[in-house]
Amino acid sequence: THTQGGGAAECADYARKVIWPVFKNDCAVWVPYNALCYGMIPKSMQPLSTACMSAVWSAYISYVSVEEKRQQQQDVRKRQK
């Protein structure tokens, strides 16, 4: 990525491969969740519900990050062979 010394093409590739799928999943998860939360869950339970959902989302983001690093390591190993 750019902060790691990559060029514009590398940044665009990263955005296409990693950021865009995460953004699509963000919209697929949080838009329906917010509609459900603010429409059906009692106000007193909304903070707890949102905290639980945020924990699940954080786990997903961590998984995506680890998978990206694993993929980068595999690419480096392939180039070294």
Side-chain angles (χ1 to χ4, degrees):
T1 62
H2 184 66
T3 58
Q4 298 168 337
E10 187 177 329
C11 292
D13 187 49
Y14 179 79
R16 183 179 47 80
K17 287 182 179 177
V18 178
I19 295 174
W20 180 245
V22 169
F23 176 74
K24 288 192 304 185
N25 288 335
D26 181 273
C27 292
V29 169
W30 287 105
V31 171
Y33 170 77
N34 284 330
L36 176 70
C37 180
Y38 296 111
M40 306 220 22
I41 297 175
K43 287 186 187 256
S44 63
M45 296 300 293
Q46 288 174 359
L48 178 61
S49 174
T50 300
C52 291
M53 193 65 185
S54 293
V56 171
W57 184 252
S58 293
Y60 166 73
I61 294 295
S62 294
Y63 172 78
V64 169
S65 177
V66 167
E67 284 300 308
E68 174 63 19
K69 288 177 185 172
R70 186 175 295 146
Q71 184 63 42
Q72 288 174 350
Q73 290 172 348
Q74 287 176 353
D75 291 346
V76 168
R77 287 186 199 124
K78 286 179 184 177
R79 286 186 215 133
Q80 291 175 344
K81 290 183 179 182

